[in-house]
PDB file of all heavy atoms in Angstrom:
ATOM      1  N   TRP Y  45     127.431  99.917 110.674  1.00 98.00           N
ATOM      2  CA  TRP Y  45     126.988 100.004 112.019  1.00 98.00           C
ATOM      3  C   TRP Y  45     128.153 100.042 112.995  1.00 98.00           C
ATOM      4  O   TRP Y  45     129.006  99.108 112.886  1.00 98.00           O
ATOM      5  CB  TRP Y  45     126.100  98.812 112.311  1.00 98.00           C
ATOM      6  CG  TRP Y  45     124.810  98.789 111.432  1.00 98.00           C
ATOM      7  CD1 TRP Y  45     124.649  98.227 110.144  1.00 98.00           C
ATOM      8  CD2 TRP Y  45     123.612  99.419 111.769  1.00 98.00           C
ATOM      9  NE1 TRP Y  45     123.414  98.365 109.716  1.00 98.00           N
ATOM     10  CE2 TRP Y  45     122.789  99.093 110.645  1.00 98.00           C
ATOM     11  CE3 TRP Y  45     123.033 100.247 112.801  1.00 98.00           C
ATOM     12  CZ2 TRP Y  45     121.406  99.624 110.654  1.00 98.00           C
ATOM     13  CZ3 TRP Y  45     121.724 100.618 112.786  1.00 98.00           C
ATOM     14  CH2 TRP Y  45     120.933 100.332 111.778  1.00 98.00           C
ATOM     15  N   LEU Y 106     121.805 109.178 108.647  1.00 98.00           N
ATOM     16  CA  LEU Y 106     121.807 108.465 109.968  1.00 98.00           C
ATOM     17  C   LEU Y 106     120.725 107.483 110.195  1.00 98.00           C
ATOM     18  O   LEU Y 106     119.570 107.563 109.847  1.00 98.00           O
ATOM     19  CB  LEU Y 106     121.667 109.572 111.043  1.00 98.00           C
ATOM     20  CG  LEU Y 106     121.457 108.939 112.511  1.00 98.00           C
ATOM     21  CD1 LEU Y 106     122.731 108.255 113.065  1.00 98.00           C
ATOM     22  CD2 LEU Y 106     121.013 110.117 113.472  1.00 98.00           C
ATOM     23  N   ASN Y 107     121.169 106.255 110.641  1.00 98.00           N
ATOM     24  CA  ASN Y 107     120.239 105.249 111.141  1.00 98.00           C
ATOM     25  C   ASN Y 107     120.435 105.116 112.583  1.00 98.00           C
ATOM     26  O   ASN Y 107     121.592 104.922 113.095  1.00 98.00           O
ATOM     27  CB  ASN Y 107     120.586 103.811 110.478  1.00 98.00           C
ATOM     28  CG  ASN Y 107     120.098 103.617 109.120  1.00 98.00           C
ATOM     29  OD1 ASN Y 107     119.332 104.406 108.641  1.00 98.00           O
ATOM     30  ND2 ASN Y 107     120.553 102.603 108.521  1.00 98.00           N
ATOM     31  N   PHE Y 108     119.322 105.400 113.398  1.00 98.00           N
ATOM     32  CA  PHE Y 108     119.531 105.548 114.776  1.00 98.00           C
ATOM     33  C   PHE Y 108     119.152 104.170 115.469  1.00 98.00           C
ATOM     34  O   PHE Y 108     117.978 103.829 115.650  1.00 98.00           O
ATOM     35  CB  PHE Y 108     118.563 106.698 115.303  1.00 98.00           C
ATOM     36  CG  PHE Y 108     118.717 107.064 116.731  1.00 98.00           C
ATOM     37  CD1 PHE Y 108     120.000 107.408 117.255  1.00 98.00           C
ATOM     38  CD2 PHE Y 108     117.684 107.030 117.590  1.00 98.00           C
ATOM     39  CE1 PHE Y 108     120.085 107.820 118.568  1.00 98.00           C
ATOM     40  CE2 PHE Y 108     117.871 107.481 118.989  1.00 98.00           C
ATOM     41  CZ  PHE Y 108     119.081 107.767 119.449  1.00 98.00           C
ATOM     42  N   GLY Y 109     120.185 103.401 115.753  1.00 98.00           N
ATOM     43  CA  GLY Y 109     120.003 102.131 116.355  1.00 98.00           C
ATOM     44  C   GLY Y 109     120.106 102.275 117.880  1.00 98.00           C
ATOM     45  O   GLY Y 109     121.124 102.762 118.427  1.00 98.00           O
ATOM     46  N   ILE Y 110     119.187 101.796 118.602  1.00 97.00           N
ATOM     47  CA  ILE Y 110     119.149 101.999 120.118  1.00 97.00           C
ATOM     48  C   ILE Y 110     119.002 100.743 120.839  1.00 97.00           C
ATOM     49  O   ILE Y 110     118.532  99.777 120.365  1.00 97.00           O
ATOM     50  CB  ILE Y 110     117.966 102.983 120.524  1.00 97.00           C
ATOM     51  CG1 ILE Y 110     116.611 102.326 120.165  1.00 97.00           C
ATOM     52  CG2 ILE Y 110     118.111 104.322 119.875  1.00 97.00           C
ATOM     53  CD1 ILE Y 110     115.332 103.191 120.656  1.00 97.00           C
ATOM     54  N   TYR Y 133     115.928 104.245 129.800  1.00 97.00           N
ATOM     55  CA  TYR Y 133     115.809 103.982 128.341  1.00 97.00           C
ATOM     56  C   TYR Y 133     114.623 104.645 127.819  1.00 97.00           C
ATOM     57  O   TYR Y 133     114.565 105.349 126.794  1.00 97.00           O
ATOM     58  CB  TYR Y 133     115.913 102.523 128.187  1.00 97.00           C
ATOM     59  CG  TYR Y 133     115.485 102.045 126.723  1.00 97.00           C
ATOM     60  CD1 TYR Y 133     116.521 101.912 125.787  1.00 97.00           C
ATOM     61  CD2 TYR Y 133     114.248 101.752 126.306  1.00 97.00           C
ATOM     62  CE1 TYR Y 133     116.282 101.403 124.489  1.00 97.00           C
ATOM     63  CE2 TYR Y 133     113.963 101.311 125.101  1.00 97.00           C
ATOM     64  CZ  TYR Y 133     114.967 101.178 124.110  1.00 97.00           C
ATOM     65  OH  TYR Y 133     114.680 100.758 122.937  1.00 97.00           O
ATOM     66  N   PHE Y 137     114.470 107.920 125.273  1.00 98.00           N
ATOM     67  CA  PHE Y 137     113.853 107.784 123.962  1.00 98.00           C
ATOM     68  C   PHE Y 137     112.699 108.836 123.751  1.00 98.00           C
ATOM     69  O   PHE Y 137     112.609 109.464 122.702  1.00 98.00           O
ATOM     70  CB  PHE Y 137     113.369 106.406 123.812  1.00 98.00           C
ATOM     71  CG  PHE Y 137     112.832 106.197 122.318  1.00 98.00           C
ATOM     72  CD1 PHE Y 137     113.716 106.256 121.267  1.00 98.00           C
ATOM     73  CD2 PHE Y 137     111.535 105.676 122.128  1.00 98.00           C
ATOM     74  CE1 PHE Y 137     113.215 106.073 119.997  1.00 98.00           C
ATOM     75  CE2 PHE Y 137     111.024 105.585 120.848  1.00 98.00           C
ATOM     76  CZ  PHE Y 137     111.913 105.634 119.807  1.00 98.00           C
ATOM     77  N   ILE Y 140     114.163 112.314 123.158  1.00 98.00           N
ATOM     78  CA  ILE Y 140     114.793 112.512 121.841  1.00 98.00           C
ATOM     79  C   ILE Y 140     113.640 112.535 120.824  1.00 98.00           C
ATOM     80  O   ILE Y 140     113.742 113.466 119.996  1.00 98.00           O
ATOM     81  CB  ILE Y 140     115.751 111.272 121.578  1.00 98.00           C
ATOM     82  CG1 ILE Y 140     116.817 111.265 122.446  1.00 98.00           C
ATOM     83  CG2 ILE Y 140     116.106 111.302 120.135  1.00 98.00           C
ATOM     84  CD1 ILE Y 140     117.763 109.980 122.431  1.00 98.00           C
ATOM     85  N   MET Y 141     112.675 111.721 120.841  1.00 98.00           N
ATOM     86  CA  MET Y 141     111.638 111.750 119.818  1.00 98.00           C
ATOM     87  C   MET Y 141     110.821 113.063 119.866  1.00 98.00           C
ATOM     88  O   MET Y 141     110.467 113.550 118.783  1.00 98.00           O
ATOM     89  CB  MET Y 141     110.756 110.571 120.011  1.00 98.00           C
ATOM     90  CG  MET Y 141     111.552 109.226 119.709  1.00 98.00           C
ATOM     91  SD  MET Y 141     112.474 109.196 118.178  1.00 98.00           S
ATOM     92  CE  MET Y 141     111.108 109.010 117.023  1.00 98.00           C
ATOM     93  N   TRP Y 144     113.015 115.808 118.125  1.00 98.00           N
ATOM     94  CA  TRP Y 144     113.083 115.500 116.689  1.00 98.00           C
ATOM     95  C   TRP Y 144     111.799 115.837 115.910  1.00 98.00           C
ATOM     96  O   TRP Y 144     111.692 116.347 114.845  1.00 98.00           O
ATOM     97  CB  TRP Y 144     113.491 114.032 116.374  1.00 98.00           C
ATOM     98  CG  TRP Y 144     115.052 113.902 116.563  1.00 98.00           C
ATOM     99  CD1 TRP Y 144     115.916 114.830 116.972  1.00 98.00           C
ATOM    100  CD2 TRP Y 144     115.743 112.730 116.554  1.00 98.00           C
ATOM    101  NE1 TRP Y 144     117.170 114.284 117.084  1.00 98.00           N
ATOM    102  CE2 TRP Y 144     117.088 113.035 116.810  1.00 98.00           C
ATOM    103  CE3 TRP Y 144     115.391 111.373 116.250  1.00 98.00           C
ATOM    104  CZ2 TRP Y 144     118.121 112.019 116.866  1.00 98.00           C
ATOM    105  CZ3 TRP Y 144     116.382 110.351 116.219  1.00 98.00           C
ATOM    106  CH2 TRP Y 144     117.699 110.757 116.552  1.00 98.00           C
ATOM    107  N   ARG Y 145     110.655 115.463 116.689  1.00 98.00           N
ATOM    108  CA  ARG Y 145     109.358 115.633 115.986  1.00 98.00           C
ATOM    109  C   ARG Y 145     108.867 116.968 116.049  1.00 98.00           C
ATOM    110  O   ARG Y 145     108.144 117.512 115.100  1.00 98.00           O
ATOM    111  CB  ARG Y 145     108.320 114.661 116.642  1.00 98.00           C
ATOM    112  CG  ARG Y 145     108.545 113.216 116.189  1.00 98.00           C
ATOM    113  CD  ARG Y 145     107.718 112.303 117.058  1.00 98.00           C
ATOM    114  NE  ARG Y 145     107.791 110.945 116.525  1.00 98.00           N
ATOM    115  CZ  ARG Y 145     107.596 109.800 117.198  1.00 98.00           C
ATOM    116  NH1 ARG Y 145     107.188 109.969 118.531  1.00 98.00           N
ATOM    117  NH2 ARG Y 145     107.538 108.568 116.708  1.00 98.00           N
ATOM    118  N   HIS Y 179     111.825 112.159 111.379  1.00 98.00           N
ATOM    119  CA  HIS Y 179     113.006 111.955 112.238  1.00 98.00           C
ATOM    120  C   HIS Y 179     113.877 110.902 111.564  1.00 98.00           C
ATOM    121  O   HIS Y 179     113.410 110.099 110.623  1.00 98.00           O
ATOM    122  CB  HIS Y 179     112.614 111.509 113.660  1.00 98.00           C
ATOM    123  CG  HIS Y 179     111.743 110.416 113.784  1.00 98.00           C
ATOM    124  ND1 HIS Y 179     112.187 109.104 113.570  1.00 98.00           N
ATOM    125  CD2 HIS Y 179     110.436 110.245 113.931  1.00 98.00           C
ATOM    126  CE1 HIS Y 179     111.255 108.225 113.679  1.00 98.00           C
ATOM    127  NE2 HIS Y 179     110.144 108.901 113.975  1.00 98.00           N
ATOM    128  N   PRO Y 180     115.194 110.752 111.881  1.00 98.00           N
ATOM    129  CA  PRO Y 180     115.984 109.637 111.353  1.00 98.00           C
ATOM    130  C   PRO Y 180     115.301 108.294 111.682  1.00 98.00           C
ATOM    131  O   PRO Y 180     114.704 108.151 112.775  1.00 98.00           O
ATOM    132  CB  PRO Y 180     117.314 109.783 112.159  1.00 98.00           C
ATOM    133  CG  PRO Y 180     117.402 111.301 112.438  1.00 98.00           C
ATOM    134  CD  PRO Y 180     115.936 111.636 112.824  1.00 98.00           C
ATOM    135  N   PRO Y 181     115.437 107.359 110.807  1.00 98.00           N
ATOM    136  CA  PRO Y 181     114.794 106.013 111.102  1.00 98.00           C
ATOM    137  C   PRO Y 181     115.374 105.331 112.315  1.00 98.00           C
ATOM    138  O   PRO Y 181     116.550 105.368 112.618  1.00 98.00           O
ATOM    139  CB  PRO Y 181     115.129 105.244 109.875  1.00 98.00           C
ATOM    140  CG  PRO Y 181     116.232 105.911 109.178  1.00 98.00           C
ATOM    141  CD  PRO Y 181     116.145 107.336 109.565  1.00 98.00           C
ATOM    142  N   VAL Y 182     114.508 104.787 113.039  1.00 98.00           N
ATOM    143  CA  VAL Y 182     114.896 104.159 114.393  1.00 98.00           C
ATOM    144  C   VAL Y 182     114.902 102.642 114.147  1.00 98.00           C
ATOM    145  O   VAL Y 182     114.068 102.054 113.549  1.00 98.00           O
ATOM    146  CB  VAL Y 182     113.835 104.412 115.555  1.00 98.00           C
ATOM    147  CG1 VAL Y 182     114.118 103.675 116.716  1.00 98.00           C
ATOM    148  CG2 VAL Y 182     113.795 105.933 115.805  1.00 98.00           C
ATOM    149  N   PHE Y 183     116.022 102.092 114.648  1.00 98.00           N
ATOM    150  CA  PHE Y 183     116.170 100.577 114.612  1.00 98.00           C
ATOM    151  C   PHE Y 183     116.394 100.101 116.058  1.00 98.00           C
ATOM    152  O   PHE Y 183     117.177 100.531 116.743  1.00 98.00           O
ATOM    153  CB  PHE Y 183     117.359 100.240 113.736  1.00 98.00           C
ATOM    154  CG  PHE Y 183     117.296 100.473 112.313  1.00 98.00           C
ATOM    155  CD1 PHE Y 183     117.424 101.689 111.853  1.00 98.00           C
ATOM    156  CD2 PHE Y 183     116.950  99.396 111.474  1.00 98.00           C
ATOM    157  CE1 PHE Y 183     117.259 102.002 110.434  1.00 98.00           C
ATOM    158  CE2 PHE Y 183     116.840  99.740 110.079  1.00 98.00           C
ATOM    159  CZ  PHE Y 183     116.979 100.991 109.578  1.00 98.00           C
ATOM    160  N   ILE Y 184     115.527  99.154 116.439  1.00 97.00           N
ATOM    161  CA  ILE Y 184     115.685  98.471 117.685  1.00 97.00           C
ATOM    162  C   ILE Y 184     116.734  97.335 117.615  1.00 97.00           C
ATOM    163  O   ILE Y 184     116.547  96.496 116.765  1.00 97.00           O
ATOM    164  CB  ILE Y 184     114.349  97.861 118.281  1.00 97.00           C
ATOM    165  CG1 ILE Y 184     113.326  98.965 118.259  1.00 97.00           C
ATOM    166  CG2 ILE Y 184     114.669  97.394 119.668  1.00 97.00           C
ATOM    167  CD1 ILE Y 184     113.660 100.197 119.104  1.00 97.00           C
ATOM    168  N   MET Y 185     117.788  97.416 118.387  1.00 92.00           N
ATOM    169  CA  MET Y 185     118.881  96.441 118.321  1.00 92.00           C
ATOM    170  C   MET Y 185     118.610  95.332 119.340  1.00 92.00           C
ATOM    171  O   MET Y 185     118.374  95.578 120.561  1.00 92.00           O
ATOM    172  CB  MET Y 185     120.179  97.039 118.619  1.00 92.00           C
ATOM    173  CG  MET Y 185     120.400  98.412 117.912  1.00 92.00           C
ATOM    174  SD  MET Y 185     120.270  98.379 116.192  1.00 92.00           S
ATOM    175  CE  MET Y 185     121.924  97.813 115.638  1.00 92.00           C
ATOM    176  N   TYR Y 195     108.783  94.906 121.196  1.00 95.00           N
ATOM    177  CA  TYR Y 195     108.641  96.318 121.303  1.00 95.00           C
ATOM    178  C   TYR Y 195     108.780  97.113 119.951  1.00 95.00           C
ATOM    179  O   TYR Y 195     107.990  97.816 119.555  1.00 95.00           O
ATOM    180  CB  TYR Y 195     109.660  96.844 122.310  1.00 95.00           C
ATOM    181  CG  TYR Y 195     109.744  98.328 122.373  1.00 95.00           C
ATOM    182  CD1 TYR Y 195     108.786  99.100 123.128  1.00 95.00           C
ATOM    183  CD2 TYR Y 195     110.763  99.099 121.730  1.00 95.00           C
ATOM    184  CE1 TYR Y 195     108.871 100.455 123.165  1.00 95.00           C
ATOM    185  CE2 TYR Y 195     110.821 100.456 121.828  1.00 95.00           C
ATOM    186  CZ  TYR Y 195     109.850 101.155 122.514  1.00 95.00           C
ATOM    187  OH  TYR Y 195     109.942 102.578 122.557  1.00 95.00           O
ATOM    188  N   ALA Y 196     109.809  96.522 119.230  1.00 97.00           N
ATOM    189  CA  ALA Y 196     109.929  97.142 117.863  1.00 97.00           C
ATOM    190  C   ALA Y 196     108.759  96.928 117.029  1.00 97.00           C
ATOM    191  O   ALA Y 196     108.330  97.810 116.320  1.00 97.00           O
ATOM    192  CB  ALA Y 196     111.164  96.485 117.245  1.00 97.00           C
ATOM    193  N   GLY Y 200     106.268  99.790 115.434  1.00 97.00           N
ATOM    194  CA  GLY Y 200     106.501 100.073 114.055  1.00 97.00           C
ATOM    195  C   GLY Y 200     107.844 100.395 113.581  1.00 97.00           C
ATOM    196  O   GLY Y 200     108.067 101.008 112.536  1.00 97.00           O
ATOM    197  N   PHE Y 201     108.899  99.850 114.340  1.00 97.00           N
ATOM    198  CA  PHE Y 201     110.243 100.167 113.965  1.00 97.00           C
ATOM    199  C   PHE Y 201     110.898  98.896 113.361  1.00 97.00           C
ATOM    200  O   PHE Y 201     110.541  97.726 113.638  1.00 97.00           O
ATOM    201  CB  PHE Y 201     111.107 100.491 115.296  1.00 97.00           C
ATOM    202  CG  PHE Y 201     110.666 101.798 115.906  1.00 97.00           C
ATOM    203  CD1 PHE Y 201     110.421 101.870 117.266  1.00 97.00           C
ATOM    204  CD2 PHE Y 201     110.456 102.957 115.182  1.00 97.00           C
ATOM    205  CE1 PHE Y 201     110.145 102.955 117.884  1.00 97.00           C
ATOM    206  CE2 PHE Y 201     109.988 104.067 115.778  1.00 97.00           C
ATOM    207  CZ  PHE Y 201     109.843 104.133 117.178  1.00 97.00           C
ATOM    208  N   ALA Y 202     111.821  99.149 112.472  1.00 98.00           N
ATOM    209  CA  ALA Y 202     112.739  97.989 112.039  1.00 98.00           C
ATOM    210  C   ALA Y 202     113.657  97.529 113.163  1.00 98.00           C
ATOM    211  O   ALA Y 202     113.743  98.205 114.212  1.00 98.00           O
ATOM    212  CB  ALA Y 202     113.481  98.466 110.815  1.00 98.00           C
ATOM    213  N   PHE Y 203     114.471  96.503 112.852  1.00 97.00           N
ATOM    214  CA  PHE Y 203     115.286  96.049 113.918  1.00 97.00           C
ATOM    215  C   PHE Y 203     116.504  95.473 113.362  1.00 97.00           C
ATOM    216  O   PHE Y 203     116.661  95.186 112.119  1.00 97.00           O
ATOM    217  CB  PHE Y 203     114.537  94.827 114.666  1.00 97.00           C
ATOM    218  CG  PHE Y 203     114.075  93.696 113.744  1.00 97.00           C
ATOM    219  CD1 PHE Y 203     114.817  92.670 113.390  1.00 97.00           C
ATOM    220  CD2 PHE Y 203     112.745  93.755 113.277  1.00 97.00           C
ATOM    221  CE1 PHE Y 203     114.338  91.559 112.592  1.00 97.00           C
ATOM    222  CE2 PHE Y 203     112.317  92.762 112.438  1.00 97.00           C
ATOM    223  CZ  PHE Y 203     113.119  91.706 112.045  1.00 97.00           C
ATOM    224  N   ASN Y 238     108.949  96.879 106.880  1.00 97.00           N
ATOM    225  CA  ASN Y 238     109.970  96.904 108.093  1.00 97.00           C
ATOM    226  C   ASN Y 238     110.960  95.773 108.144  1.00 97.00           C
ATOM    227  O   ASN Y 238     112.128  95.900 108.394  1.00 97.00           O
ATOM    228  CB  ASN Y 238     109.103  97.088 109.403  1.00 97.00           C
ATOM    229  CG  ASN Y 238     108.786  98.499 109.638  1.00 97.00           C
ATOM    230  OD1 ASN Y 238     109.473  99.394 109.215  1.00 97.00           O
ATOM    231  ND2 ASN Y 238     107.824  98.688 110.590  1.00 97.00           N
ATOM    232  N   ARG Y 241     113.570  96.148 105.674  1.00 96.00           N
ATOM    233  CA  ARG Y 241     114.671  97.120 106.147  1.00 96.00           C
ATOM    234  C   ARG Y 241     115.517  96.645 107.177  1.00 96.00           C
ATOM    235  O   ARG Y 241     116.541  97.153 107.502  1.00 96.00           O
ATOM    236  CB  ARG Y 241     113.918  98.417 106.611  1.00 96.00           C
ATOM    237  CG  ARG Y 241     113.236  99.278 105.471  1.00 96.00           C
ATOM    238  CD  ARG Y 241     112.412 100.328 105.967  1.00 96.00           C
ATOM    239  NE  ARG Y 241     113.187 101.244 106.919  1.00 96.00           N
ATOM    240  CZ  ARG Y 241     112.799 101.508 108.181  1.00 96.00           C
ATOM    241  NH1 ARG Y 241     111.783 100.964 108.673  1.00 96.00           N
ATOM    242  NH2 ARG Y 241     113.639 102.311 108.766  1.00 96.00           N
TER     243      ARG Y 241
END
Side-chain angles (χ1 to χ4, degrees):
W45 297 90
L106 171 66
N107 283 348
F108 190 52
I110 60 174
Y133 172 89
F137 184 62
I140 292 170
M141 297 308 288
W144 283 354
R145 286 170 172 156
H179 54 75
V182 175
F183 291 79
I184 306 299
M185 316 305 277
Y195 172 78
F201 296 134
F203 56 89
N238 272 340
R241 293 172 53 236

